[in-house]
């Protein structure tokens, strides 16, 4: 259950509701939105007297939640959906469109510095780059500049952080091992990415509960969208909220594209299931450079507010995933197209009518309509 506080509720009123619930044995979690504060109530709420809560000062109403992923679930109702927003470094996530771009992997100091310049010039806001890479073959010969040792990992992380700082951009870097979280924090990485292979890594997700760093959590390519939200929920159980969902393609019957970008799920996340910001990574979603542009633009209309894009100063010599990396000119054009698409989506958003708004009217007409339409 969620307690929705009034827009005008004071800090004392909010604290009083939390204390009352905790005194009765419930765990609470607070979500401070732009307009309203919401208090999640965890435990057997069938034992809770709802009028006792309802009559407390500052309480606007109670919202029943039946989803298993209570913290990740969409709050509010279909006509008033509530979304979380938070920062990655200085960049606000969950409102305006944010583009996270860069090479698949950090390959040298010079390469990541030039990549940062490319990303900045293109108009993207956050620099990405992997330092220790997952490779499906042990013979690929390249596992990232930081793969060899702890020192190499630190140096690789330092070089992307330095490149980000040089162009005034936060950096997002994939983390493979929970033991490395303090190192990433210490070096100044601004956002941790959980890659597809770690989407269901219990140890890593549990450890991330205790990190203040925002996380981009990629959906596993064989994970149902609501099961995935339960994995996301795992990080949220102690109150963490700064998580970006990420659709990056799932397995399917299709062989032409590397994965199948599941835009239906992107829409379901944004319009129905969760209040967390949704990212789409069309680069891994299709694995074909020339399809990244149209799929990314489509993602914006499906509900994405964060875009992950692989790009390289010269993709033809990239050490990993060069085939799906954009040329710098393509990145710049795509950032522009995506921003225009996002503006258009906002302009037409008021035309989206959730069925809930219309249902009761149509329900009251069922009998008369049945008679009119079928009585012959
Ligand atoms: C990546 O972002 O470079 C990456 C390897 O992605 P994924 O984990 O989605 O395959
Ligand atoms: Mn990649």
């Amino acid at each position: 259950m969620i307690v929705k506080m009034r827009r005008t509720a004071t800090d004392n009123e909010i604290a009083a509701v939390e204390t009352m619930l905790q005194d009765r044995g419930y765990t609470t979690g607070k979500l401070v939105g732009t307009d309203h504060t919401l208090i999640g109530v965890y435990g057997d709420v069938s034992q809770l007297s709802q009028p006792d809560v309802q009559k407390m000062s500052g309480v606007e109403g109670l919202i029943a939640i039946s989803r298993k992923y209570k913290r990740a679930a969409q709050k509010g109702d279909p006509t008033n959906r509530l979304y979380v927003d938070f920062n990655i470094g200085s960049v606000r996530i969950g409102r305006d469109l944010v583009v996270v771009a860069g090479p698949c992997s950090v390959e040298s100091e010079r390469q990541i510095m030039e990549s940062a310049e490319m990303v900045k010039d293109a108009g993207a806001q956050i620099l990405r780059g992997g330092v220790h890479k997952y490779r499906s073959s042990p013979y690929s010969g390249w596992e990232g500049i930081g793969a060899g040792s702890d020192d190499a990992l630190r140096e690789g992380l330092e070089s992307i952080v330095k490149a980000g700082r040089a162009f005034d951009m936060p950096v997002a870097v994939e983390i493979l091992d929970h033991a490395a979280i303090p190192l990433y924090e210490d070096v100044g990485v601004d956002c941790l990415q959980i890659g597809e292979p770690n989407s269901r890594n219990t140890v890593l997700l549990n450890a991330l509960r205790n990190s203040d760093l925002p996380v981009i959590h990629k959906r596993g390519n064989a994970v149902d969208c609501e099961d995935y939200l339960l994995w996301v929920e795992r990080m949220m159980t102690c109150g963490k909220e700064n998580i970006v969902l990420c659709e990056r393609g799932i397995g399917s019957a299709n062989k032409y594209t590397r994965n199948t970008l599941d835009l239906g799920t992107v829409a379901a996340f944004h319009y129905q299931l969760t209040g967390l910001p949704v990212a789409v990574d069309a680069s891994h979603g299709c694995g074909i450079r020339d399809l990244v542009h149209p799929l990314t633009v489509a993602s914006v209309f499906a509900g994405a507010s964060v875009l992950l894009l692989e790009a390289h100063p010269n993709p033809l010599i990239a050490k990993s995933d060069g085939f799906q990396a954009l040329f710098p000119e393509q990145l710049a054009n795509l950032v522009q197209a995506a921003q225009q698409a996002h503006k258009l989506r906002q302009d037409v958003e008021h035309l989206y009518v959730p069925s809930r708004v219309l249902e009761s009217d149509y329900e009251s007409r069922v009998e008369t309509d049945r008679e009119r339409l079928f009585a012959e």
Side-chain angles (χ1 to χ4, degrees):
M1 194 180 77
I2 303 276
V3 182
K4 183 177 179 188
M5 301 301 293
R6 288 186 202 287
R7 203 182 288 259
T8 52
T10 64
D11 288 348
N12 283 346
E13 286 170 337
I14 295 167
V17 173
E18 287 179 301
T19 308
M20 180 270 211
L21 292 165
Q22 287 160 5
D23 286 350
R24 296 189 184 194
Y26 295 98
T27 307
T28 61
K30 193 164 62 176
L31 180 83
V32 183
T34 329
D35 290 329
H36 294 272
T37 292
L38 304 172
I39 302 170
V41 188
Y42 307 97
D44 181 6
V45 287
S46 65
Q47 304 301 316
L48 178 65
S49 156
Q50 299 203 359
D52 283 1
V53 186
Q54 185 76 63
K55 70 183 182 216
M56 289 187 76
S57 177
V59 172
E60 180 171 311
L62 307 181
I63 304 164
I65 303 252
S66 55
R67 300 198 193 280
K68 283 190 271 178
Y69 42 90
K70 295 182 189 308
R71 293 172 191 253
Q74 170 66 248
K75 313 291 189 300
D77 62 58
T79 58
N80 179 29
R81 302 183 307 274
L82 299 170
Y83 294 103
V84 181
D85 54 69
F86 52 83
N87 274 37
I88 293 182
S90 55
V91 176
R92 199 75 188 157
I93 303 293
R95 292 189 195 160
D96 295 334
L97 187 73
V98 171
V99 180
V100 182
C104 178
S105 48
V106 176
E107 297 162 343
S108 70
E109 276 215 31
R110 179 86 200 190
Q111 173 259 9
I112 195 62
M113 197 54 88
E114 282 192 23
S115 298
E117 186 173 11
M118 164 190 75
V119 167
K120 186 75 180 184
D121 286 352
Q125 292 82 2
I126 298 179
L127 176 65
R128 63 144 286 150
V131 171
H132 189 182
K133 301 296 302 177
Y134 257 107
R135 303 313 306 273
S136 35
S137 164
Y139 305 114
S140 70
W142 174 250
E143 306 219 333
I145 200 165
S149 65
D150 287 351
D151 285 347
L153 182 59
R154 176 177 282 276
E155 277 167 32
L157 293 173
E158 281 171 353
S159 60
I160 184 170
V161 169
K162 186 170 154 200
R165 300 289 180 269
F167 291 91
D168 199 20
M169 284 183 294
V171 300
V173 186
E174 180 174 355
I175 183 157
L176 271 55
D177 178 358
H178 67 99
I181 297 173
L183 173 62
Y184 278 62
E185 291 174 337
D186 185 47
V187 171
V189 171
D190 302 282
C191 175
L192 303 174
Q193 177 181 306
I194 303 173
E196 185 282 329
N198 270 322
S199 191
R200 295 179 286 178
N201 182 330
T202 304
V203 178
L204 180 58
L205 297 173
N206 286 352
L208 286 171
R209 289 171 175 155
N210 304 316
S211 174
D212 290 334
L213 285 183
V215 171
I216 298 174
H217 183 178
K218 291 193 171 193
R219 173 186 177 195
N221 83 346
V223 184
D224 162 71
C225 65
E226 290 198 275
D227 290 343
Y228 162 64
L229 291 178
L230 274 172
W231 289 101
V232 172
E233 180 90 1
R234 175 169 289 277
M235 274 184 290
M236 302 179 80
T237 52
C238 297
K240 186 173 182 61
E241 272 172 4
N242 47 358
I243 299 165
V244 183
L245 307 177
C246 182
E247 164 59 31
R248 45 73 74 200
I250 55 172
S252 81
N254 194 39
K255 294 194 187 70
Y256 184 70
T257 54
R258 182 176 183 178
N259 292 294
T260 296
L261 197 64
D262 182 6
L263 291 187
T265 285
V266 172
F269 284 156
H270 182 70
Y271 288 96
Q272 300 187 320
L273 300 181
T274 108
L276 294 169
V278 186
V280 168
D281 172 352
S283 305
H284 294 87
C286 67
I288 299 174
R289 181 183 303 125
D290 283 2
L291 299 184
V292 172
H293 182 118
L295 280 174
T296 298
V297 172
S299 314
V300 172
F301 285 106
S305 62
V306 179
L307 303 172
L308 264 59
L309 295 170
E310 286 193 343
H312 192 285
N314 185 348
L316 304 184
I317 54 167
K319 290 183 192 275
S320 59
D321 284 357
F323 50 85
Q324 67 190 28
L326 299 170
F327 290 101
E329 293 83 350
Q330 292 174 318
L331 175 66
N333 275 19
L334 178 49
V335 172
Q336 262 192 52
Q339 277 162 351
Q340 288 180 33
H342 190 254
K343 187 174 174 315
L344 183 55
R345 183 180 115 206
Q346 286 175 319
D347 290 349
V348 297
E349 193 67 22
H350 67 283
L351 298 173
Y352 174 76
V353 185
S355 302
R356 174 81 65 82
V357 175
L358 305 167
E359 266 159 10
S360 57
D361 183 31
Y362 280 84
E363 259 159 33
S364 67
R365 292 162 37 180
V366 161
E367 283 313 315
T368 50
D369 283 356
R370 199 175 268 139
E371 268 174 40
R372 192 180 78 255
L373 298 170
F374 307 141
E376 267 165 18

